[in-house]
Amino acid sequence: NPHLEKMEEDILYHFALGTGTHDFPALFGDVKFVCVGGSPSRMKAFITYIAEELGLGSPGYEYPNICAGTDRYAMYKVGPVLSVSHGMGIPSISIMLHELIKLLHHAKCSNVTVIRIGTSGGIGLEPGSVVITRQSVDATFKPQFEQVILGKTVIRSTDLDEQLAKELMQCSKEINQFNTVIGNTMCTLDFYEGQGRLDGAICLYTEEEKLRYLKEAFDSGVRNIEMESSVFAAMCNLSGVKGK
């Protein structure tokens, strides 16, 4: 964004951080991996787990929330790993990603990999399986993210890094703890009707219609459903960040 260079100070409102009040290179300059997920408590548990796996920090250490000045998102850091919550749905993760990408820019980070982790609804898979996303598709199975900007519809690609998918699959084979597949992830605009659920407050379709739709999704290559992957993929592509 060329407009950023004209700003005396860039305030990341929803992180409660700013270039005028925080030394971004000192705080985040060593970041190489960013893991994002919906729940603040889950991302806190994740950073504790990663610290133990990497042999960093002390057992039982209470990692501080870097974004404690706001209740919008939570952020934790250990070594080169940043763990950030993004809430639920495209609008929430979009806001977080705008500020995260700017944070990495101001911190002068390089060769950063961003991975979204979280629960999702599986299609044709046993519970507990892990899906590594090849590309995100919309509810009509198209690999695109559609957004209205200045009154005009803009369509952006949702392909994700293919080499990173292969590397993650290889890691899964070496760990050999989970059934892991590479497939497409369908990103929907809501949790109930958008995902064909029968237990929402409103449901104007039959169970047979739902099952027919899910079979069409599976036949198109979809293996799981969630609500954030499309804008995640689009923004990673546009900003040059390796994402998965």
Side-chain angles (χ1 to χ4, degrees):
N1 179 1
H3 300 287
L4 295 181
E5 306 305 323
K6 303 173 185 177
M7 299 168 58
E8 293 184 9
E9 179 182 5
D10 188 6
I11 300 175
L12 310 185
Y13 297 99
H14 305 88
F15 284 168
L17 300 171
T19 56
T21 53
H22 296 79
D23 186 339
F24 281 63
L27 289 171
F28 306 108
D30 62 340
V31 169
K32 293 297 181 184
F33 298 94
V34 183
C35 292
V36 303
S39 163
S41 60
R42 190 177 298 163
M43 300 321 292
K44 182 178 182 180
F46 174 78
I47 206 68
T48 301
Y49 168 78
I50 284 296
E52 294 175 357
E53 288 293 304
L54 297 179
L56 300 173
S58 305
Y61 178 71
E62 190 75 12
Y63 291 92
N65 177 10
I66 298 171
C67 297
T70 176
D71 60 358
R72 298 297 183 184
Y73 304 104
M75 180 186 296
Y76 305 92
K77 183 180 182 298
V78 62
V81 181
L82 199 62
S83 176
V84 192
S85 70
H86 59 59
M88 188 180 294
I90 287 173
S92 184
I93 191 174
S94 172
I95 295 168
M96 187 281 290
L97 286 173
H98 273 283
E99 299 192 10
L100 173 64
I101 292 166
K102 292 200 296 177
L103 180 153
L104 297 174
H105 169 73
H106 292 313
K108 295 178 171 55
C109 296
S110 60
N111 300 320
V112 178
T113 298
V114 183
I115 299 177
R116 195 189 95 73
I117 56 178
T119 55
S120 61
I123 300 182
L125 297 174
E126 60 185 69
S129 298
V130 173
V131 177
I132 300 171
T133 305
R134 176 184 293 111
Q135 61 181 188
S136 174
V137 300
D138 63 18
T140 64
F141 319 138
K142 295 177 182 177
Q144 64 183 37
F145 171 62
E146 185 176 305
Q147 184 173 2
V148 177
I149 302 174
L150 301 182
K152 298 179 181 179
T153 299
V154 177
I155 295 177
R156 291 169 171 168
S157 169
T158 53
D159 290 336
L160 286 161
D161 191 276
E162 186 176 344
Q163 182 59 36
L164 181 55
K166 293 178 180 177
E167 292 174 6
L168 291 173
M169 177 59 83
Q170 182 59 37
C171 289
S172 176
K173 290 179 180 178
E174 293 173 4
I175 296 172
N176 196 29
Q177 293 183 1
F178 311 100
N179 173 45
T180 305
V181 300
I182 295 177
N184 293 344
T185 295
M186 183 164 69
C187 184
T188 65
L189 298 181
D190 94 303
F191 183 80
Y192 287 99
E193 291 180 285
Q195 297 188 12
R197 297 179 190 273
L198 302 175
D199 58 345
I202 300 169
C203 182
L204 303 177
Y205 45 82
T206 66
E207 183 173 5
E208 290 73 21
E209 289 172 322
K210 164 195 171 172
L211 293 176
R212 190 181 309 125
Y213 174 69
L214 292 180
K215 184 179 185 305
E216 290 174 4
F218 182 86
D219 291 344
S220 75
V222 172
R223 293 297 177 267
N224 64 331
I225 310 174
E226 47 82 88
M227 297 188 294
E228 294 88 19
S229 61
S230 63
V231 71
F232 174 83
M235 292 186 68
C236 284
N237 287 337
L238 284 169
S239 61
V241 173
K242 185 189 296 186
K244 180 57 63 181

